[in-house]
Amino acid sequence: MDLYYEIQGKGAPVVLIHSPGVDSREWKFIAPILAQSFQVITFDGRGTGKSPAPTDPINLVEDLKRLLEHLNVGQAVLIGHSMGGQAAADFALTYPSMVSRLILLAPALTGFPYSEAFTQWMAQVNSFAPDLGKMIDYSLAGPNYRVVMSSPQRDFLIEMHTDYMRKVFTEWKCFEVNWPQPPAIERLEEIAAPTLFLHGTVEWGDMEGVAEQYKRVPSCEIIRIEGADHMLTLTHPAETAGYIEQFLKEPI
């Protein structure tokens, strides 16, 4: 397995796990802020950005473990966005000693029963395959992208999303993703790391449902960023980074 990664700054290690549909470039505003105080590790997941396409089933948790072992990082702060947040939480449940703190940005949740509206939207996006133009247009017209698609970062998101879709349909040999069992939704009480949950208010209703589940985590602070959508990393980076820095300064 090869993964493209970058390291900025010095200090305690902080690993940023990007959302699906984009790549590690989504951290371009947040990473430099955090790198003023921490060693910030960003990487492209399999088949995204500069990392090679998957040829076998993807295991995001084990990929992250191998990356940390390669970098000789025994314990780190994990910051995951969307499915990256899902991977971070599953990692924290599987390898609790390797996670000092867990920060989740609009995360997905393994085993969560997503609404019919959301699942139908996803199915509609996939139904346009292999017409990448239609897939991208319909995907980014989702209600969770209303803010970013009206922002100065609109073209940047379209560029990342287009690169992602093109790689998926021209390079990927396998589309299966394996997650640890039992699913995280059944084990949230077992998350030992202090947890911060950030999400915007312009989202699918499912996000409130996921946030409600995270109230079961023994130490979890939930913060809503008013006026942000799913891509708070692009439209609200300073505010997001500010909450992260404040959380990391709090004593455990």
Side-chain angles (χ1 to χ4, degrees), residues 41-195:
I41 301 165
T42 58
F43 68 98
D44 291 327
R46 290 198 202 196
T48 71
K50 298 179 181 179
S51 291
T55 56
D56 300 302
I58 300 168
N59 190 314
L60 299 174
V61 169
E62 293 305 314
D63 283 356
L64 178 56
K65 182 172 185 284
R66 293 188 186 104
L67 175 64
L68 294 180
E69 289 174 341
H70 173 74
L71 298 175
N72 295 314
V73 173
Q75 188 180 67
V77 173
L78 297 187
I79 303 177
H81 177 213
S82 192
M83 190 183 288
Q86 179 176 339
D90 277 70
F91 187 95
L93 286 165
T94 307
Y95 301 107
S97 66
M98 298 184 71
V99 182
S100 58
R101 299 193 191 222
L102 182 63
I103 300 173
L104 308 172
L105 311 181
L109 173 60
T110 314
F112 183 81
Y114 286 93
S115 66
E116 183 177 355
F118 177 79
T119 54
Q120 285 184 349
W121 172 68
M122 291 292 294
Q124 188 65 56
V125 171
N126 292 329
S127 73
F128 290 126
D131 188 328
L132 296 186
K134 285 186 177 180
M135 292 185 74
I136 292 163
D137 289 345
Y138 195 85
S139 175
L140 295 182
N144 53 330
Y145 294 124
R146 280 180 291 179
V147 177
V148 68
M149 290 301 285
S150 299
S151 78
Q153 305 310 322
R154 179 181 187 275
D155 290 345
F156 179 46
L157 176 59
I158 292 173
E159 177 186 340
M160 285 194 292
H161 205 47
T162 301
D163 290 345
Y164 172 84
M165 290 290 196
R166 184 179 296 115
K167 286 180 72 74
V168 167
F169 284 96
T170 62
E171 298 181 17
W172 286 36
K173 305 301 181 185
C174 183
F175 301 88
E176 183 180 350
V177 180
N178 291 335
W179 296 98
Q181 296 297 324
I185 195 171
E186 299 178 13
R187 301 183 288 150
L188 291 177
E189 292 87 352
E190 299 174 22
I191 292 180
T195 301

Side-chain angles (χ1 to χ4, degrees), residues 197-243:
F197 186 117
L198 293 172
H199 70 93
T201 56
V202 184
E203 268 279 9
W204 290 98
D206 298 87
M207 187 54 62
E208 291 290 348
V210 173
E212 189 66 26
Q213 292 292 331
Y214 265 89
K215 292 180 179 178
R216 294 161 41 207
V217 174
S219 176
C220 183
E221 180 180 1
I222 298 174
I223 295 175
R224 292 167 176 80
I225 298 181
E226 190 67 35
D229 67 7
H230 197 63
M231 298 307 295
L232 65 171
T233 54
L234 300 184
T235 60
H236 293 67
E239 190 172 355
T240 300
Y243 283 123

